[in-house]
Amino acid sequence: MQQSSSPDHAEIRQRTRPIARRFLFVFLSFAALLLVALLSPLDEVLVRASYAIPVWLALLLILAISLWRSGSGPLAKALFMAGVAIVIGGAAFDMIVTVIKTPTLEREANPIARALLDGGHSLAFVYVYSLVAQALGVLIQLFLWAAFLRHWKTVVFMANASSPRSGLDFAKAVTGGARLSWRQYIIPLKFSELPEAYSFTIALAFFLPGISLYRWYLGLVWLGAVPHASTGPMVGLCLFLFGGYVTWLFTLYRPQ
């Protein structure tokens, strides 16, 4: 794609907004599917839901590629390769250590793999299924990271253009809440009070690849290098990523 020396950020946001809305719809539908399946008392529900997961992942990959292509900013090679190392390295580390420690997956705690195995699927099927799902997941994260690197300047420009009155207002703007009050942003009561799709999706494009850091933690758990897996590290990672995102973009805040 030919790069412009002076991109029209408003036009970039306008053309990307429909893609962002579709991405959010598919992503939230996927999350709802997983939540319902995981909470169901019937193992068969999770098994049947697992068949649909690759389809949802394929749709998310197509939309992640569209997000990347719709951006106009340069793809900073150093930052992109750092993301590649984190995403691919985390997935490979977790999977390799898992296979070494439990080649027959009898100690595998992943609920989807566990449901497939307990539901009578062969070990070979579970391995192939896991490789396909993991490959799709890694590609989604990589294209999202590339999309973030091509869109973050537009997010910052549009946030500053919304005339934030403080650093907190700027932080709200870069996560899609420029037009919202703080009550609407924190406790939305109707659809019109939800964050704006474009900025919120680009924030996700930073956040979702960062979750790969948790895969490194899981690999260390298998090796016994850190305590048993718990929700604490994931919560801490989410807070770290949100803080890192806002802090990075806040360095470009321009007070009115």
Side-chain angles (χ1 to χ4, degrees):
M1 181 182 292
Q2 193 73 22
Q3 301 297 324
S4 170
S5 58
S6 180
D8 185 341
H9 294 292
E11 190 276 331
I12 292 168
R13 182 176 68 169
Q14 189 64 26
R15 74 173 181 233
T16 306
R17 187 176 289 162
I19 303 171
R21 288 173 176 165
R22 288 192 288 269
F23 181 88
L24 284 176
F25 176 78
V26 175
F27 176 76
L28 292 175
S29 299
F30 177 59
L33 170 73
L34 284 181
L35 183 61
V36 169
L38 290 170
L39 293 178
S40 173
L42 301 176
D43 291 339
E44 183 64 20
V45 173
L46 183 54
V47 171
R48 292 189 178 274
S50 69
Y51 299 151
I53 287 175
V55 177
W56 251 267
L57 291 176
L59 289 173
L60 286 172
L61 175 58
I62 292 170
L63 291 169
I65 293 172
S66 297
L67 283 172
W68 162 65
R69 295 186 64 181
S70 70
S72 67
L75 190 65
K77 291 182 179 179
L79 287 174
F80 179 68
M81 292 310 299
V84 169
I86 290 172
V87 172
I88 295 181
F93 180 50
D94 182 24
M95 289 189 293
I96 290 172
V97 173
T98 299
V99 172
I100 291 174
K101 290 291 185 178
T102 177
T104 59
L105 303 181
E106 72 274 6
R107 295 166 55 197
E108 175 57 55
N110 183 288
I112 296 172
R114 191 77 270 147
L116 289 172
L117 288 169
D118 295 343
H121 295 76
S122 68
L123 182 63
F125 175 87
V126 175
Y127 266 117
V128 172
Y129 174 92
S130 298
L131 285 173
V132 170
Q134 293 288 346
L136 288 170
V138 165
L139 287 173
I140 290 168
Q141 289 176 302
L142 292 180
F143 275 104
L144 285 178
W145 180 238
F148 170 76
L149 293 177
R150 299 193 71 188
H151 281 279
W152 70 269
K153 289 185 179 179
T154 297
V155 171
V156 170
F157 180 89
M158 299 308 299
N160 278 318
S162 68
S163 301
R165 291 173 293 180
S166 67
L168 286 176
D169 282 340
F170 178 81
K172 180 160 62 73
V174 295
T175 50
R179 60 181 173 77
L180 303 175
S181 69
W182 279 104
R183 195 278 300 162
Q184 293 171 332
Y185 180 73
I186 297 172
I187 309 175
L189 300 179
K190 47 189 176 181
F191 283 113
S192 62
E193 296 178 354
L194 292 174
E196 190 263 334
Y198 173 73
S199 296
F200 188 79
T201 301
I202 300 308
L204 276 180
F206 173 90
F207 187 84
L208 293 178
I211 295 297
S212 289
L213 290 169
Y214 191 68
R215 303 292 299 274
W216 291 92
Y217 168 76
L218 292 177
L220 292 173
V221 169
W222 274 113
L223 293 175
V226 296
H228 183 67
S230 64
T231 57
M234 174 58 85
V235 172
L237 176 60
C238 291
L239 293 174
F240 171 77
L241 290 172
F242 180 78
Y245 178 75
V246 172
T247 299
W248 177 7
L249 299 190
F250 182 73
T251 61
L252 298 168
Y253 167 48
R254 298 292 179 266
Q256 299 298 311

